[in-house]
């Protein structure tokens, strides 16, 4: 390579996620629908600066949300400092009659849109959950809930019986991101779901009292002095108890509480409210939540009458593996209709499809075939028609790219709304009468349009401009189909060529891996245009450094048929065989891929998998960097192992562990972990370290003090160390004396760098 290595590092840094925002303008429209209206606003980063836009879907109009120059001047006059109208100091806005409300410098400020006079309403409370009408907010203190009147700033206590490990509105400790919040100085808002009319809210009380304890040590506390212990509740695979939740409805005006009748439901990792698996009906008279039993074999849809506390189970489904509500575990393809019917997504046929349950218990397949329904977009109950996205319909169709369709709830022919070979990401209003469709592909910048419930385009909103990205040397990944290790199953993967690609040269190869059954990793969409967890987060930086980068959706990952995803339950690392087979097949027609210099990296489940590839396929994989890996799921939290692999009486987690393979290590291995990772605790990496020492193996280890699971603390240092390891051991070059600039704590990107 002729390009100076330090210059390549600079190019790679320019492609980190927070810097991509400088290179891509109008990347996608994220509509913020205003209560029950068909109006929304969005924040649009343009080449000229950030602009806030408001759209009236019924009128088909789009206009600036306010005069940005006058608003900046109004804020400056009120707060005594100058504000740039192209970079206003807030991300969100709230309309209140003829005014707009924003939060600036921890103050709630109202600005009249008539004469642009600005008034301080009072202090902001970011750790509270505001009602849709903006009049009230729910907060959490000492495990109990309170309600704040946002006009007077007065508080009213709602509960007094919450205690440690028996708290209202909180997630399980294992998913609460406590360390990240402490590091960033933030406090999460309580988990509540407001009714559409803002009169009531649904929440739960989480019971973790019987859970066993987990312990971490903050070895470098901010105030110096002695290390500080952090102890919290954490259910591991096979433990006797997991967290459970009981639901409550609170009346905002009176504080009256109605407890849901019946037994508490398991909530072993992520709260149903945090997942969007708890909601109110369209008319606000009933509340709903989804639950699964331990191991996820039986799912139930609960309906709560908030006036009586009576709970009915409207739908129940059991499976011999696990029951999902969409192709990825956080999806919710469930709709309760005014008729009492339930539209329900199920993989009972082997593919995810929609079924309609009548109140009398009869069931009808709404869709069927060897293809996958991805998401319910909207239901027109009067016309009895559902708009949905699906992938893989038609010969040769990419099984991952979503197109838009509609069909009668009573079955019949399916109407294709789009057929452009792009990926459609719909974002509907509450009523479903309109939705924003963000259309993209890995090689096509996003176009955001407004559609009506029939799918017709009402208004084009924005077109992403990626010219700055291309100018920085980026090229889109090529999506390729290869065979799995069985020689039969099609696998879809993406391959990135290095910058300044020369087909006569040879390049080292990096495999970005994440084998999690709950998501896919090979990119589908243009950067910053939305979508699932993808390799795009880091692959582009390695291409800038001079590597070929491959991302493979091997057997066991999501968004295919049920048997494909359930392949993860074999548990022996078959994904390593698939990744090796894919890389070898790609190299057959790409002689510039040097199979003598192949490395792999991944985070969390990918940390586990990258190490396993090195241990199981040392003939191909020579170098691995594995961060935050769950190397031994016997000491990881119960949800992951039991939901996707099996309960301890049916699945042997011993062979699934990397610990037993420590003696296989031949290549170069860098293990990295956040010292305060409260999700995949550092103990999982240290168990592997202990086994590697016992086996007499040489390896490298980086523990980042105070870092949580996302390893955002000292992120710039950690990313540079990962680059250095591959440059030194795979590329054969000496890393430069280079320092990545500190990475800002951008709330939109906190989850981007880690897992």
């Amino acid at each position: 390579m002729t390009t100076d290595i330090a210059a390549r590092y600079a190019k790679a840094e320019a492609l980190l996620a927070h810097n991509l925002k400088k290179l891509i303008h109008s990347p996608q429209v994220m509509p913020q629908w205003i209560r029950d209206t068909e109006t929304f606003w969005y924040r649009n980063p343009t080449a000229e600066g950030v602009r806030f836009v408001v759209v009236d879907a019924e009128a088909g109009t789009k206009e600036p949300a306010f005069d940005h120059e006058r608003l900046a001047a109004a804020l400056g006059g009120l707060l005594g400092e100058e504000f740039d109208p192209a970079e206003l100091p807030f991300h969100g806005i709230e309309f209140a009659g003829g005014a707009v409300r924003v939060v600036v410098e921890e103050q709630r400020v109202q600005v009249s849109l008539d004469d642009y006079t600005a008034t301080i309403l009072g202090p902001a409370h970011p750790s509270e959950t505001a009602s849709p009408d903006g009049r009230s907010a729910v907060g959490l203190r000492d495990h109990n809930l309170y309600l704040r009147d946002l006009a007077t700033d007065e508080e009213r206590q709602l509960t007094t019986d919450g205690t440690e490990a028996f708290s209202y509105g909180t997630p399980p400790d294992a998913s609460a991101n406590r360390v990240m919040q402490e590091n960033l100085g933030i406090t999460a808002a309580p988990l509540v779901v407001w009714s559409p009319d803002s009169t009531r809210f649904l929440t739960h009380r989480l019971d973790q009292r019987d859970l066993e304890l987990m312990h971490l040590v903050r070895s470098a506390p901010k105030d110096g002095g002695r290390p500080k212990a952090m102890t919290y509740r954490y259910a591991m695979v096979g433990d006797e108890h997991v967290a459970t939740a009981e639901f409550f409805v609170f009346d905002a005006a009176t504080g009256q509480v109605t407890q849901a009748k019946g037994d508490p439901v398991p909530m072993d990792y992520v709260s149903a409210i945090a997942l969007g698996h708890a909601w109110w009906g369209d008319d606000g008279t009933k509340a709903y939540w989804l639950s699964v039993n331990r191991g996820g074999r039986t799912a139930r849809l609960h309906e709560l009458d908030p006036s009586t506390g009576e709970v009915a189970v409207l739908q129940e489904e059991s499976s011999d593996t696990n029951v999902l509500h969409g192709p990825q575990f956080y999806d919710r393809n469930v709709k309760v209709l005014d008729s009492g019917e339930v539209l329900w997504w199920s993989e009972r046929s082997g593919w995810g499809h929609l079924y309609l349950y009548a109140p009398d218990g009869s069931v009808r397949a709404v869709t069927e075939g060897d293809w996958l329904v991805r998401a319910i977009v909207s239901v027109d109950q009067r016309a009895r028609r559902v708009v949905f996205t699906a992938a893989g319909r038609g010969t040769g169709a990419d099984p991952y790219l979503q197109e838009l369709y509609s069909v009668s709830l009573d079955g019949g022919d399916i109407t294709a709304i789009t057929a452009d070979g792009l990926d459609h990401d719909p974002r509907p209003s509450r009523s479903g009468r309109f939705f924003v469709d963000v259309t993209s592909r890995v090689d096509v910048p996003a176009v955001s349009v407004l559609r009506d419930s029939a799918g017709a385009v009402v208004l084009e909103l924005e077109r992403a401009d990626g010219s700055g990205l291309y100018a920085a040397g980026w090229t889109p990944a090529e999506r390729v189909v290869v065979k799995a290790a069985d020689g039969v199953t099609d696998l879809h993967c993406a391959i990135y060529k290095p910058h300044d690609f020369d087909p006569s040269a040879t390049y080292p190869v990096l495999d970005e891996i994440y084998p999690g059954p709950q998501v896919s990793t090979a990119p589908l969409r243009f950067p910053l245009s939305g979508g699932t967890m993808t390799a795009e987060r880091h692959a582009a930086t390695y291409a800038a450094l001079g590597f070929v980068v491959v991302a493979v959706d091997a057997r066991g990952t999501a968004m295919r048929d049920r048997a494909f995803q359930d392949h993860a339950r074999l548990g022996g690392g078959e994904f390593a065989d698939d990744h090796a087979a894919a890389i070898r097949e790609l190299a057959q027609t790409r002689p510039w891929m040097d199979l003598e210099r192949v490395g792999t990296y991944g985070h969390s489940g990918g940390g586990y998998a990258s190490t396993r590839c090195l241990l199981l396929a040392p003939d191909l994989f020579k170098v691995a960097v594995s961060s935050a890996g769950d190397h031994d799921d016997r000491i990881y939290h119960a949800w992951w192992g039991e939901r996707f692999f099996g309960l301890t009486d049916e699945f042997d987690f011993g062979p699934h562990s990397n610990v037993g393979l420590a003696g296989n290590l031949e290549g170069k291995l860098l293990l990295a972990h956040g010292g305060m990772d409260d999700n995949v605790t550092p103990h999982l990496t240290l168990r592997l370290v202990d086994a590697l020492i016992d086996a007499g193996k040489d390896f490298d280890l980086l523990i980042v003090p105070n870092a949580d699971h996302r390893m955002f603390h000292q992120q710039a240092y950690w990313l540079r160390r990962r680059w250095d390891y591959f440059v030194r051991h795979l590329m054969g070059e000496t890393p430069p004396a280079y320092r990545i600039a500190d990475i800002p704590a951008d709330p939109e990107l906190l989850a981007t760098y880690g897992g």
Side-chain angles (χ1 to χ4, degrees):
M1 296 181 185
T2 58
T3 306
D4 175 73
I5 184 66
R8 281 184 266 145
Y9 270 58
K11 287 185 175 183
E13 182 178 5
L15 295 176
L16 289 172
H18 64 290
N19 288 325
L20 288 181
K21 299 176 75 171
K22 307 169 189 174
L23 304 177
I24 305 173
H25 301 125
S26 303
Q28 61 173 314
V29 168
M30 301 182 67
Q32 307 298 318
W33 295 95
I34 300 172
R35 297 189 63 187
D36 291 327
T37 71
E38 305 301 337
T39 300
F40 64 91
W41 63 266
Y42 63 93
R43 183 177 180 270
N44 185 31
T46 72
E48 292 74 36
V50 173
R51 288 292 182 264
F52 288 84
V53 180
V54 65
V55 176
D56 185 329
E58 291 181 308
T61 59
K62 163 191 159 186
E63 58 188 19
F66 43 78
D67 184 316
H68 291 65
E69 285 69 24
R70 292 185 70 185
L71 189 109
L75 292 176
L78 179 70
L79 300 174
E81 59 183 289
E82 187 174 339
F83 293 100
D84 183 353
E87 293 292 339
L88 290 168
F90 48 81
H91 277 74
I93 60 177
E94 175 190 344
F95 288 100
V100 64
R101 293 173 179 168
V102 298
V103 174
V104 181
E105 296 181 352
E106 301 182 352
Q107 297 288 333
R108 296 176 64 241
V109 177
Q110 179 167 295
V111 181
S112 167
L113 297 181
D114 181 22
D115 58 7
Y116 283 83
T117 56
T119 307
I120 293 178
L121 299 178
H125 301 282
S127 59
E128 298 175 349
T129 304
S131 59
D133 63 9
R135 296 179 180 178
S136 305
V138 182
L140 180 68
R141 186 182 299 114
D142 297 327
H143 314 293
N144 283 293
L145 299 173
Y146 63 86
L147 190 74
R148 183 185 304 279
D149 186 316
L150 293 178
T152 65
D153 210 39
E154 294 180 356
E155 289 183 12
R156 177 158 45 93
Q157 192 78 20
L158 296 178
T159 67
T160 58
D161 58 341
T163 61
E164 194 276 328
F166 196 45
S167 181
Y168 288 92
T170 56
D173 285 359
S175 64
N177 295 314
R178 290 172 56 180
V179 174
M180 184 189 73
Q181 292 181 56
E182 184 177 335
N183 286 348
L184 296 177
I186 60 176
T187 301
L191 297 168
V192 306
V193 185
W194 280 94
S195 62
D197 63 2
S198 299
T199 62
R200 296 180 286 197
F201 65 86
L202 175 75
T203 189
H204 57 61
R205 181 169 57 185
L206 191 73
D207 190 351
Q208 301 183 100
R209 292 173 295 180
D210 292 330
L211 271 61
E212 295 191 47
L213 300 178
M214 180 63 71
H215 311 280
L216 298 176
V217 176
R218 190 179 281 277
S219 55
K222 292 181 181 180
D223 59 359
R226 294 176 181 271
K228 295 182 179 179
M230 176 178 136
T231 297
Y232 59 108
R233 311 280 173 159
Y234 191 103
M236 297 195 309
V237 166
D239 279 0
E240 182 178 357
H241 300 285
V242 297
T244 60
E246 49 191 350
F247 285 83
F248 297 81
V249 168
F250 288 84
D251 185 283
T254 66
Q256 179 180 347
V257 58
T258 302
Q259 182 174 354
K261 298 178 181 178
D263 295 332
V265 298
M267 201 165 287
D268 49 3
Y269 179 54
V270 184
S271 162
I273 295 176
L275 280 175
H277 288 186
W279 69 100
W280 287 86
D282 293 339
D283 62 3
T285 62
K286 298 289 175 61
Y288 303 92
W289 64 86
L290 296 167
S291 72
V292 293
N293 68 341
R294 187 165 182 178
R297 304 302 178 84
T298 297
R300 296 181 177 90
L301 167 62
H302 306 261
E303 179 186 72
L304 169 66
D305 183 336
S307 61
T308 65
E310 294 294 334
V311 177
V313 175
L314 298 186
Q315 173 57 19
E316 179 177 309
E317 181 177 351
S318 296
S319 166
D320 57 354
T321 56
N322 64 70
V323 180
L324 299 173
H325 305 295
Q328 301 174 101
F329 85 98
Y330 47 75
D331 293 329
R332 190 197 87 204
N333 286 319
V334 177
K335 177 73 173 177
V336 181
L337 307 183
D338 295 342
S339 62
E341 297 166 300
V342 175
L343 188 60
W344 181 268
W345 188 94
S346 171
E347 293 179 291
R348 68 193 60 184
S349 70
W351 293 86
H353 280 290
L354 299 177
Y355 297 83
L356 190 69
Y357 282 81
D360 64 6
S362 60
V363 59
R364 174 192 306 118
V366 177
T367 63
E368 56 188 347
D370 292 347
W371 48 275
L372 183 68
V373 170
R374 289 279 297 279
I376 296 172
V377 179
S378 64
V379 178
D380 185 334
Q381 299 192 52
R382 182 172 298 178
R384 291 189 63 77
R385 198 159 188 88
V386 56
V387 175
F388 63 96
T389 62
R393 290 195 80 235
T395 303
D398 189 314
Y400 293 91
L401 293 176
Q402 301 181 83
E403 298 270 16
L404 284 160
Y405 301 90
S406 70
V407 69
S408 170
L409 290 173
D410 301 310
D413 293 337
I414 292 174
T415 300
I417 296 173
T418 62
D420 51 21
L422 301 176
D423 190 58
H424 292 258
D425 184 5
R427 297 139 189 214
S429 67
R430 181 176 176 84
S431 72
R433 291 178 55 203
F434 297 92
F435 61 94
V436 172
D437 178 20
V438 182
T439 305
S440 179
R441 198 173 59 203
V442 68
D443 57 341
V444 178
V447 177
S448 300
V449 301
L450 175 68
R451 296 181 185 269
D452 64 21
S453 61
V457 175
V458 175
L459 185 67
E460 182 176 303
L461 300 171
E462 304 293 342
R463 287 180 175 265
D465 177 4
S467 56
L469 181 63
Y470 283 101
W474 179 89
T475 56
E478 176 189 5
R479 282 184 64 83
V480 183
V481 179
V482 296
K483 292 298 182 184
D486 64 1
V488 176
T489 307
D490 283 344
L491 301 180
H492 289 248
C493 61
I495 181 168
Y496 293 78
K497 293 178 181 177
H499 287 208
D500 303 320
F501 173 71
D502 178 357
S504 66
T506 58
Y507 298 92
V509 179
L510 281 179
D511 176 33
E512 171 154 338
I513 187 168
Y514 189 89
Q518 82 279 25
V519 294
S520 68
T521 188
L524 295 171
R525 302 175 65 84
F526 202 77
L528 301 187
S529 65
T532 62
M533 174 182 177
T534 70
E536 186 68 52
R537 301 172 303 164
H538 299 294
T541 66
Y542 285 108
L545 291 174
F547 295 94
V548 175
V549 186
V550 176
V552 182
D553 284 323
R555 289 174 295 172
T557 56
M559 299 206 298
R560 296 280 290 274
D561 59 280
R562 177 175 166 180
F564 188 95
Q565 186 180 36
D566 279 351
H567 197 81
R569 290 180 175 268
L570 297 179
E574 288 76 7
F575 59 81
D577 297 334
D578 279 357
H579 279 253
I583 291 169
R584 289 192 170 105
E585 182 177 335
L586 289 169
Q588 290 176 6
T589 53
R590 296 167 178 82
W592 34 268
M593 293 175 60
D594 186 349
L595 294 192
E596 295 302 313
R597 294 187 291 164
V598 178
T600 178
Y601 67 96
H603 184 84
S604 193
Y608 161 82
S610 52
T611 293
R612 201 162 183 86
C613 284
L614 195 66
L615 299 176
L616 289 178
D619 55 328
L620 179 66
F621 296 101
K622 302 300 192 297
V623 183
V625 178
S626 304
S627 51
D630 55 315
H631 297 288
D632 189 345
D633 283 333
R634 290 171 292 193
I635 58 168
Y636 189 28
H637 61 63
W639 169 78
W640 172 260
E642 295 180 355
R643 183 80 187 267
F644 293 109
F645 301 102
L647 300 173
T648 52
D649 62 353
E650 61 188 14
F651 183 82
D652 187 353
F653 284 91
H656 178 71
S657 167
N658 284 338
V659 171
L661 299 175
N664 291 4
L665 180 63
E666 297 179 16
K668 300 294 293 185
L669 172 63
L670 170 60
L671 296 170
H673 220 114
M676 289 293 290
D677 188 336
D678 48 355
N679 179 351
V680 182
T681 63
H683 316 312
L684 283 95
T685 285
L686 293 176
R687 294 287 177 95
L688 177 60
V689 164
D690 190 49
L692 290 168
I693 292 171
D694 281 346
K697 298 296 181 178
D698 293 338
F699 59 95
D700 295 288
L701 175 66
L702 173 64
I703 299 296
V704 182
N706 294 330
D708 72 337
H709 185 57
R710 289 176 173 83
M711 292 185 72
F712 188 80
H713 180 70
Q714 303 287 15
Q715 182 69 225
Y717 176 83
W718 149 238
L719 292 179
R720 195 265 298 167
R721 285 289 305 273
R722 188 163 66 173
W723 292 355
D724 288 354
Y725 204 78
F726 287 123
V727 165
R728 178 179 291 112
H729 295 297
L730 205 60
M731 193 172 279
E733 297 191 38
T734 301
Y738 188 91
R739 179 165 184 156
I740 298 173
D742 289 342
I743 296 173
D746 187 331
E748 296 178 335
L749 298 174
L750 280 177
T752 298
Y753 292 99

